[in-house]
Amino acid sequence: LLLFFLGANWTTIYLGIEERYPNAEAAAALFGFNNLNAVVDSMIVLVAIVFPIAIAGGIFAVRNVAKVPTIRLVSSKQEPELTLALGLTWHLFNSHIWSTGQD
């Protein structure tokens, strides 16, 4: 999304410079491109490079989240719906292992 914004911004700036200084080649000197097509082509290439990286990162994140263990009910295999009484702030889950003496 940021690259689309930058591409639109650079295109607008390039066209504004060309409109203000029609024969001065100021836009080409500032951007390093001779025409607007080169600006647009470079943004398309950048998006084509970054898009697969973003998709791979999203797939990696989804797979990692799917591996996180959760507490589920034996009867329905769904997460329990925990309600909290009025005036209370926290739930308490106290787990202990007798063999190590942890309470």
Side-chain angles (χ1 to χ4, degrees):
L1 189 59
L2 177 62
L3 288 176
F4 286 120
F5 172 74
L6 287 176
N9 191 12
W10 290 353
T11 303
T12 304
I13 292 171
Y14 192 93
L15 289 173
I17 292 171
E18 276 193 339
E19 189 176 298
R20 180 175 265 185
Y21 308 106
N23 297 323
E25 297 291 327
L30 179 65
F31 282 95
F33 297 110
N34 292 332
N35 58 16
L36 185 60
N37 289 338
V39 175
V40 173
D41 291 344
S42 65
M43 291 310 299
I44 290 172
V45 168
L46 283 173
V47 168
I49 291 170
V50 171
F51 188 71
I53 295 170
I55 295 296
I59 291 170
F60 179 75
V62 166
R63 291 182 75 189
N64 281 344
V65 168
K67 293 178 184 177
V68 173
T70 59
I71 296 174
R72 298 195 178 267
L73 297 172
V74 175
S75 60
S76 65
K77 295 191 176 23
Q78 298 293 322
E79 293 181 8
E81 184 178 324
L82 300 175
T83 58
L84 200 58
L86 188 64
L88 295 178
T89 306
W90 307 100
H91 288 281
L92 175 66
F93 178 74
N94 189 14
S95 177
H96 62 279
I97 300 173
W98 287 103
S99 63
T100 61
Q102 298 175 350
D103 287 334

PDB file of all heavy atoms in Angstrom, residues 9-39:
ATOM      1  N   ASN A   9       2.304   9.563  -5.496  1.00  0.00           N
ATOM      2  CA  ASN A   9       2.934  10.813  -5.075  1.00  0.00           C
ATOM      3  C   ASN A   9       4.029  11.230  -6.053  1.00  0.00           C
ATOM      4  O   ASN A   9       4.096  12.382  -6.475  1.00  0.00           O
ATOM      5  CB  ASN A   9       3.499  10.636  -3.664  1.00  0.00           C
ATOM      6  CG  ASN A   9       3.921  11.935  -3.049  1.00  0.00           C
ATOM      7  OD1 ASN A   9       3.617  12.999  -3.536  1.00  0.00           O
ATOM      8  ND2 ASN A   9       4.641  11.829  -1.947  1.00  0.00           N
ATOM      9  N   TRP A  10       4.919  10.299  -6.403  1.00  0.00           N
ATOM     10  CA  TRP A  10       5.996  10.620  -7.331  1.00  0.00           C
ATOM     11  C   TRP A  10       5.461  10.989  -8.706  1.00  0.00           C
ATOM     12  O   TRP A  10       5.999  11.873  -9.368  1.00  0.00           O
ATOM     13  CB  TRP A  10       6.961   9.445  -7.449  1.00  0.00           C
ATOM     14  CG  TRP A  10       7.771   9.209  -6.207  1.00  0.00           C
ATOM     15  CD1 TRP A  10       7.819   9.997  -5.092  1.00  0.00           C
ATOM     16  CD2 TRP A  10       8.607   8.097  -5.953  1.00  0.00           C
ATOM     17  NE1 TRP A  10       8.643   9.441  -4.161  1.00  0.00           N
ATOM     18  CE2 TRP A  10       9.145   8.272  -4.660  1.00  0.00           C
ATOM     19  CE3 TRP A  10       8.955   6.971  -6.665  1.00  0.00           C
ATOM     20  CZ2 TRP A  10      10.026   7.364  -4.092  1.00  0.00           C
ATOM     21  CZ3 TRP A  10       9.829   6.063  -6.095  1.00  0.00           C
ATOM     22  CH2 TRP A  10      10.354   6.264  -4.828  1.00  0.00           C
ATOM     23  N   THR A  11       4.408  10.311  -9.145  1.00  0.00           N
ATOM     24  CA  THR A  11       3.805  10.639 -10.437  1.00  0.00           C
ATOM     25  C   THR A  11       3.237  12.052 -10.415  1.00  0.00           C
ATOM     26  O   THR A  11       3.439  12.833 -11.361  1.00  0.00           O
ATOM     27  CB  THR A  11       2.695   9.630 -10.770  1.00  0.00           C
ATOM     28  OG1 THR A  11       3.252   8.320 -10.756  1.00  0.00           O
ATOM     29  CG2 THR A  11       2.085   9.902 -12.117  1.00  0.00           C
ATOM     30  N   THR A  12       2.554  12.408  -9.344  1.00  0.00           N
ATOM     31  CA  THR A  12       1.985  13.757  -9.226  1.00  0.00           C
ATOM     32  C   THR A  12       3.079  14.815  -9.178  1.00  0.00           C
ATOM     33  O   THR A  12       2.968  15.862  -9.827  1.00  0.00           O
ATOM     34  CB  THR A  12       1.112  13.847  -7.954  1.00  0.00           C
ATOM     35  OG1 THR A  12       0.116  12.830  -8.018  1.00  0.00           O
ATOM     36  CG2 THR A  12       0.447  15.205  -7.836  1.00  0.00           C
ATOM     37  N   ILE A  13       4.126  14.551  -8.429  1.00  0.00           N
ATOM     38  CA  ILE A  13       5.243  15.511  -8.358  1.00  0.00           C
ATOM     39  C   ILE A  13       5.906  15.646  -9.716  1.00  0.00           C
ATOM     40  O   ILE A  13       6.204  16.766 -10.162  1.00  0.00           O
ATOM     41  CB  ILE A  13       6.260  15.083  -7.282  1.00  0.00           C
ATOM     42  CG1 ILE A  13       5.645  15.206  -5.892  1.00  0.00           C
ATOM     43  CG2 ILE A  13       7.530  15.905  -7.370  1.00  0.00           C
ATOM     44  CD1 ILE A  13       6.483  14.602  -4.791  1.00  0.00           C
ATOM     45  N   TYR A  14       6.150  14.541 -10.389  1.00  0.00           N
ATOM     46  CA  TYR A  14       6.789  14.573 -11.706  1.00  0.00           C
ATOM     47  C   TYR A  14       5.952  15.389 -12.692  1.00  0.00           C
ATOM     48  O   TYR A  14       6.472  16.250 -13.405  1.00  0.00           O
ATOM     49  CB  TYR A  14       6.984  13.146 -12.218  1.00  0.00           C
ATOM     50  CG  TYR A  14       7.889  13.030 -13.416  1.00  0.00           C
ATOM     51  CD1 TYR A  14       9.237  12.782 -13.255  1.00  0.00           C
ATOM     52  CD2 TYR A  14       7.390  13.165 -14.718  1.00  0.00           C
ATOM     53  CE1 TYR A  14      10.073  12.667 -14.350  1.00  0.00           C
ATOM     54  CE2 TYR A  14       8.215  13.054 -15.807  1.00  0.00           C
ATOM     55  CZ  TYR A  14       9.567  12.799 -15.622  1.00  0.00           C
ATOM     56  OH  TYR A  14      10.391  12.709 -16.711  1.00  0.00           O
ATOM     57  N   LEU A  15       4.638  15.122 -12.707  1.00  0.00           N
ATOM     58  CA  LEU A  15       3.765  15.868 -13.625  1.00  0.00           C
ATOM     59  C   LEU A  15       3.699  17.343 -13.253  1.00  0.00           C
ATOM     60  O   LEU A  15       3.641  18.211 -14.129  1.00  0.00           O
ATOM     61  CB  LEU A  15       2.370  15.255 -13.635  1.00  0.00           C
ATOM     62  CG  LEU A  15       2.255  13.891 -14.315  1.00  0.00           C
ATOM     63  CD1 LEU A  15       0.863  13.320 -14.118  1.00  0.00           C
ATOM     64  CD2 LEU A  15       2.615  13.988 -15.781  1.00  0.00           C
ATOM     65  N   GLY A  16       3.708  17.652 -11.948  1.00  0.00           N
ATOM     66  CA  GLY A  16       3.689  19.050 -11.520  1.00  0.00           C
ATOM     67  C   GLY A  16       4.937  19.799 -11.944  1.00  0.00           C
ATOM     68  O   GLY A  16       4.865  20.957 -12.376  1.00  0.00           O
ATOM     69  N   ILE A  17       6.094  19.155 -11.834  1.00  0.00           N
ATOM     70  CA  ILE A  17       7.347  19.797 -12.262  1.00  0.00           C
ATOM     71  C   ILE A  17       7.346  19.990 -13.771  1.00  0.00           C
ATOM     72  O   ILE A  17       7.747  21.050 -14.271  1.00  0.00           O
ATOM     73  CB  ILE A  17       8.554  18.960 -11.802  1.00  0.00           C
ATOM     74  CG1 ILE A  17       8.674  19.007 -10.284  1.00  0.00           C
ATOM     75  CG2 ILE A  17       9.841  19.482 -12.430  1.00  0.00           C
ATOM     76  CD1 ILE A  17       9.700  18.052  -9.710  1.00  0.00           C
ATOM     77  N   GLU A  18       6.895  18.980 -14.510  1.00  0.00           N
ATOM     78  CA  GLU A  18       6.851  19.113 -15.978  1.00  0.00           C
ATOM     79  C   GLU A  18       5.879  20.210 -16.405  1.00  0.00           C
ATOM     80  O   GLU A  18       6.110  20.893 -17.404  1.00  0.00           O
ATOM     81  CB  GLU A  18       6.454  17.788 -16.620  1.00  0.00           C
ATOM     82  CG  GLU A  18       7.605  16.847 -16.811  1.00  0.00           C
ATOM     83  CD  GLU A  18       7.236  15.691 -17.713  1.00  0.00           C
ATOM     84  OE1 GLU A  18       6.031  15.401 -17.870  1.00  0.00           O
ATOM     85  OE2 GLU A  18       8.156  15.079 -18.258  1.00  0.00           O
ATOM     86  N   GLU A  19       4.783  20.361 -15.662  1.00  0.00           N
ATOM     87  CA  GLU A  19       3.807  21.392 -16.000  1.00  0.00           C
ATOM     88  C   GLU A  19       4.357  22.788 -15.709  1.00  0.00           C
ATOM     89  O   GLU A  19       4.137  23.725 -16.474  1.00  0.00           O
ATOM     90  CB  GLU A  19       2.534  21.155 -15.187  1.00  0.00           C
ATOM     91  CG  GLU A  19       1.362  22.016 -15.588  1.00  0.00           C
ATOM     92  CD  GLU A  19       0.127  21.632 -14.795  1.00  0.00           C
ATOM     93  OE1 GLU A  19      -0.313  20.468 -14.927  1.00  0.00           O
ATOM     94  OE2 GLU A  19      -0.374  22.479 -14.047  1.00  0.00           O
ATOM     95  N   ARG A  20       5.080  22.921 -14.612  1.00  0.00           N
ATOM     96  CA  ARG A  20       5.617  24.228 -14.236  1.00  0.00           C
ATOM     97  C   ARG A  20       6.812  24.633 -15.108  1.00  0.00           C
ATOM     98  O   ARG A  20       6.968  25.790 -15.459  1.00  0.00           O
ATOM     99  CB  ARG A  20       6.025  24.210 -12.772  1.00  0.00           C
ATOM    100  CG  ARG A  20       6.600  25.542 -12.315  1.00  0.00           C
ATOM    101  CD  ARG A  20       6.875  25.517 -10.856  1.00  0.00           C
ATOM    102  NE  ARG A  20       5.711  26.092 -10.194  1.00  0.00           N
ATOM    103  CZ  ARG A  20       5.637  26.321  -8.909  1.00  0.00           C
ATOM    104  NH1 ARG A  20       6.626  25.969  -8.126  1.00  0.00           N
ATOM    105  NH2 ARG A  20       4.572  26.875  -8.383  1.00  0.00           N
ATOM    106  N   TYR A  21       7.677  23.673 -15.429  1.00  0.00           N
ATOM    107  CA  TYR A  21       8.866  23.936 -16.248  1.00  0.00           C
ATOM    108  C   TYR A  21       8.841  23.019 -17.464  1.00  0.00           C
ATOM    109  O   TYR A  21       9.505  21.982 -17.496  1.00  0.00           O
ATOM    110  CB  TYR A  21      10.146  23.680 -15.454  1.00  0.00           C
ATOM    111  CG  TYR A  21      10.203  24.395 -14.137  1.00  0.00           C
ATOM    112  CD1 TYR A  21      10.021  23.709 -12.942  1.00  0.00           C
ATOM    113  CD2 TYR A  21      10.436  25.767 -14.082  1.00  0.00           C
ATOM    114  CE1 TYR A  21      10.077  24.355 -11.727  1.00  0.00           C
ATOM    115  CE2 TYR A  21      10.487  26.425 -12.869  1.00  0.00           C
ATOM    116  CZ  TYR A  21      10.308  25.717 -11.690  1.00  0.00           C
ATOM    117  OH  TYR A  21      10.355  26.362 -10.492  1.00  0.00           O
ATOM    118  N   PRO A  22       8.081  23.367 -18.499  1.00  0.00           N
ATOM    119  CA  PRO A  22       7.853  22.439 -19.611  1.00  0.00           C
ATOM    120  C   PRO A  22       9.102  22.072 -20.416  1.00  0.00           C
ATOM    121  O   PRO A  22       9.211  20.963 -20.905  1.00  0.00           O
ATOM    122  CB  PRO A  22       6.832  23.155 -20.495  1.00  0.00           C
ATOM    123  CG  PRO A  22       6.734  24.541 -19.998  1.00  0.00           C
ATOM    124  CD  PRO A  22       7.336  24.607 -18.654  1.00  0.00           C
ATOM    125  N   ASN A  23      10.061  22.960 -20.566  1.00  0.00           N
ATOM    126  CA  ASN A  23      11.214  22.660 -21.416  1.00  0.00           C
ATOM    127  C   ASN A  23      12.520  22.607 -20.632  1.00  0.00           C
ATOM    128  O   ASN A  23      13.589  22.608 -21.232  1.00  0.00           O
ATOM    129  CB  ASN A  23      11.342  23.713 -22.528  1.00  0.00           C
ATOM    130  CG  ASN A  23      10.147  23.701 -23.447  1.00  0.00           C
ATOM    131  OD1 ASN A  23       9.606  22.643 -23.738  1.00  0.00           O
ATOM    132  ND2 ASN A  23       9.709  24.868 -23.891  1.00  0.00           N
ATOM    133  N   ALA A  24      12.478  22.558 -19.332  1.00  0.00           N
ATOM    134  CA  ALA A  24      13.683  22.706 -18.537  1.00  0.00           C
ATOM    135  C   ALA A  24      14.327  21.383 -18.127  1.00  0.00           C
ATOM    136  O   ALA A  24      15.417  21.383 -17.592  1.00  0.00           O
ATOM    137  CB  ALA A  24      13.371  23.522 -17.293  1.00  0.00           C
ATOM    138  N   GLU A  25      13.676  20.268 -18.333  1.00  0.00           N
ATOM    139  CA  GLU A  25      14.190  18.964 -17.916  1.00  0.00           C
ATOM    140  C   GLU A  25      14.447  18.902 -16.407  1.00  0.00           C
ATOM    141  O   GLU A  25      15.296  18.147 -15.929  1.00  0.00           O
ATOM    142  CB  GLU A  25      15.474  18.617 -18.680  1.00  0.00           C
ATOM    143  CG  GLU A  25      15.314  18.483 -20.161  1.00  0.00           C
ATOM    144  CD  GLU A  25      14.490  17.257 -20.546  1.00  0.00           C
ATOM    145  OE1 GLU A  25      14.567  16.240 -19.832  1.00  0.00           O
ATOM    146  OE2 GLU A  25      13.764  17.332 -21.537  1.00  0.00           O
ATOM    147  N   ALA A  26      13.711  19.704 -15.655  1.00  0.00           N
ATOM    148  CA  ALA A  26      13.893  19.733 -14.199  1.00  0.00           C
ATOM    149  C   ALA A  26      13.431  18.424 -13.563  1.00  0.00           C
ATOM    150  O   ALA A  26      14.053  17.937 -12.614  1.00  0.00           O
ATOM    151  CB  ALA A  26      13.136  20.909 -13.601  1.00  0.00           C
ATOM    152  N   ALA A  27      12.341  17.864 -14.057  1.00  0.00           N
ATOM    153  CA  ALA A  27      11.822  16.614 -13.492  1.00  0.00           C
ATOM    154  C   ALA A  27      12.802  15.471 -13.729  1.00  0.00           C
ATOM    155  O   ALA A  27      13.033  14.647 -12.844  1.00  0.00           O
ATOM    156  CB  ALA A  27      10.456  16.280 -14.089  1.00  0.00           C
ATOM    157  N   ALA A  28      13.391  15.433 -14.908  1.00  0.00           N
ATOM    158  CA  ALA A  28      14.362  14.387 -15.216  1.00  0.00           C
ATOM    159  C   ALA A  28      15.608  14.533 -14.340  1.00  0.00           C
ATOM    160  O   ALA A  28      16.181  13.542 -13.889  1.00  0.00           O
ATOM    161  CB  ALA A  28      14.742  14.430 -16.686  1.00  0.00           C
ATOM    162  N   ALA A  29      16.022  15.762 -14.079  1.00  0.00           N
ATOM    163  CA  ALA A  29      17.186  15.980 -13.221  1.00  0.00           C
ATOM    164  C   ALA A  29      16.890  15.596 -11.773  1.00  0.00           C
ATOM    165  O   ALA A  29      17.749  15.053 -11.076  1.00  0.00           O
ATOM    166  CB  ALA A  29      17.616  17.439 -13.307  1.00  0.00           C
ATOM    167  N   LEU A  30      15.683  15.860 -11.303  1.00  0.00           N
ATOM    168  CA  LEU A  30      15.323  15.565  -9.918  1.00  0.00           C
ATOM    169  C   LEU A  30      15.118  14.069  -9.689  1.00  0.00           C
ATOM    170  O   LEU A  30      15.628  13.502  -8.714  1.00  0.00           O
ATOM    171  CB  LEU A  30      14.052  16.332  -9.539  1.00  0.00           C
ATOM    172  CG  LEU A  30      13.538  16.117  -8.129  1.00  0.00           C
ATOM    173  CD1 LEU A  30      14.537  16.667  -7.116  1.00  0.00           C
ATOM    174  CD2 LEU A  30      12.191  16.785  -7.947  1.00  0.00           C
ATOM    175  N   PHE A  31      14.395  13.409 -10.583  1.00  0.00           N
ATOM    176  CA  PHE A  31      14.060  12.004 -10.399  1.00  0.00           C
ATOM    177  C   PHE A  31      15.070  11.046 -11.021  1.00  0.00           C
ATOM    178  O   PHE A  31      15.130   9.886 -10.648  1.00  0.00           O
ATOM    179  CB  PHE A  31      12.678  11.706 -10.991  1.00  0.00           C
ATOM    180  CG  PHE A  31      11.553  12.150 -10.112  1.00  0.00           C
ATOM    181  CD1 PHE A  31      10.950  13.372 -10.294  1.00  0.00           C
ATOM    182  CD2 PHE A  31      11.102  11.341  -9.093  1.00  0.00           C
ATOM    183  CE1 PHE A  31       9.915  13.789  -9.485  1.00  0.00           C
ATOM    184  CE2 PHE A  31      10.060  11.740  -8.270  1.00  0.00           C
ATOM    185  CZ  PHE A  31       9.471  12.976  -8.471  1.00  0.00           C
ATOM    186  N   GLY A  32      15.812  11.510 -12.005  1.00  0.00           N
ATOM    187  CA  GLY A  32      16.737  10.632 -12.694  1.00  0.00           C
ATOM    188  C   GLY A  32      16.092   9.809 -13.793  1.00  0.00           C
ATOM    189  O   GLY A  32      16.710   8.910 -14.336  1.00  0.00           O
ATOM    190  N   PHE A  33      14.841  10.115 -14.109  1.00  0.00           N
ATOM    191  CA  PHE A  33      14.118   9.426 -15.176  1.00  0.00           C
ATOM    192  C   PHE A  33      13.803  10.437 -16.269  1.00  0.00           C
ATOM    193  O   PHE A  33      13.479  11.585 -15.991  1.00  0.00           O
ATOM    194  CB  PHE A  33      12.807   8.829 -14.660  1.00  0.00           C
ATOM    195  CG  PHE A  33      13.000   7.775 -13.597  1.00  0.00           C
ATOM    196  CD1 PHE A  33      12.648   8.025 -12.284  1.00  0.00           C
ATOM    197  CD2 PHE A  33      13.533   6.542 -13.922  1.00  0.00           C
ATOM    198  CE1 PHE A  33      12.817   7.065 -11.313  1.00  0.00           C
ATOM    199  CE2 PHE A  33      13.711   5.573 -12.948  1.00  0.00           C
ATOM    200  CZ  PHE A  33      13.352   5.840 -11.642  1.00  0.00           C
ATOM    201  N   ASN A  34      13.855   9.989 -17.525  1.00  0.00           N
ATOM    202  CA  ASN A  34      13.610  10.896 -18.643  1.00  0.00           C
ATOM    203  C   ASN A  34      12.132  11.151 -18.897  1.00  0.00           C
ATOM    204  O   ASN A  34      11.775  12.164 -19.469  1.00  0.00           O
ATOM    205  CB  ASN A  34      14.259  10.359 -19.919  1.00  0.00           C
ATOM    206  CG  ASN A  34      15.765  10.390 -19.818  1.00  0.00           C
ATOM    207  OD1 ASN A  34      16.324  11.222 -19.108  1.00  0.00           O
ATOM    208  ND2 ASN A  34      16.421   9.478 -20.513  1.00  0.00           N
ATOM    209  N   ASN A  35      11.283  10.219 -18.504  1.00  0.00           N
ATOM    210  CA  ASN A  35       9.850  10.410 -18.726  1.00  0.00           C
ATOM    211  C   ASN A  35       9.053   9.728 -17.611  1.00  0.00           C
ATOM    212  O   ASN A  35       9.607   9.011 -16.780  1.00  0.00           O
ATOM    213  CB  ASN A  35       9.431   9.885 -20.107  1.00  0.00           C
ATOM    214  CG  ASN A  35       9.755   8.416 -20.282  1.00  0.00           C
ATOM    215  OD1 ASN A  35      10.008   7.708 -19.330  1.00  0.00           O
ATOM    216  ND2 ASN A  35       9.752   7.967 -21.528  1.00  0.00           N
ATOM    217  N   LEU A  36       7.758   9.953 -17.628  1.00  0.00           N
ATOM    218  CA  LEU A  36       6.890   9.427 -16.576  1.00  0.00           C
ATOM    219  C   LEU A  36       6.773   7.911 -16.636  1.00  0.00           C
ATOM    220  O   LEU A  36       6.608   7.258 -15.608  1.00  0.00           O
ATOM    221  CB  LEU A  36       5.511  10.085 -16.686  1.00  0.00           C
ATOM    222  CG  LEU A  36       4.520   9.734 -15.585  1.00  0.00           C
ATOM    223  CD1 LEU A  36       5.064  10.154 -14.233  1.00  0.00           C
ATOM    224  CD2 LEU A  36       3.193  10.408 -15.847  1.00  0.00           C
ATOM    225  N   ASN A  37       6.867   7.340 -17.824  1.00  0.00           N
ATOM    226  CA  ASN A  37       6.766   5.882 -17.950  1.00  0.00           C
ATOM    227  C   ASN A  37       7.849   5.167 -17.148  1.00  0.00           C
ATOM    228  O   ASN A  37       7.602   4.106 -16.572  1.00  0.00           O
ATOM    229  CB  ASN A  37       6.838   5.461 -19.411  1.00  0.00           C
ATOM    230  CG  ASN A  37       5.591   5.832 -20.168  1.00  0.00           C
ATOM    231  OD1 ASN A  37       4.538   6.033 -19.570  1.00  0.00           O
ATOM    232  ND2 ASN A  37       5.708   5.938 -21.473  1.00  0.00           N
ATOM    233  N   ALA A  38       9.024   5.731 -17.088  1.00  0.00           N
ATOM    234  CA  ALA A  38      10.104   5.116 -16.312  1.00  0.00           C
ATOM    235  C   ALA A  38       9.794   5.138 -14.818  1.00  0.00           C
ATOM    236  O   ALA A  38      10.110   4.188 -14.093  1.00  0.00           O
ATOM    237  CB  ALA A  38      11.414   5.843 -16.590  1.00  0.00           C
ATOM    238  N   VAL A  39       9.156   6.208 -14.339  1.00  0.00           N
ATOM    239  CA  VAL A  39       8.756   6.284 -12.932  1.00  0.00           C
ATOM    240  C   VAL A  39       7.711   5.207 -12.636  1.00  0.00           C
ATOM    241  O   VAL A  39       7.820   4.457 -11.651  1.00  0.00           O
ATOM    242  CB  VAL A  39       8.198   7.683 -12.587  1.00  0.00           C
ATOM    243  CG1 VAL A  39       7.667   7.718 -11.172  1.00  0.00           C
ATOM    244  CG2 VAL A  39       9.250   8.754 -12.785  1.00  0.00           C
TER     245      VAL A  39
END
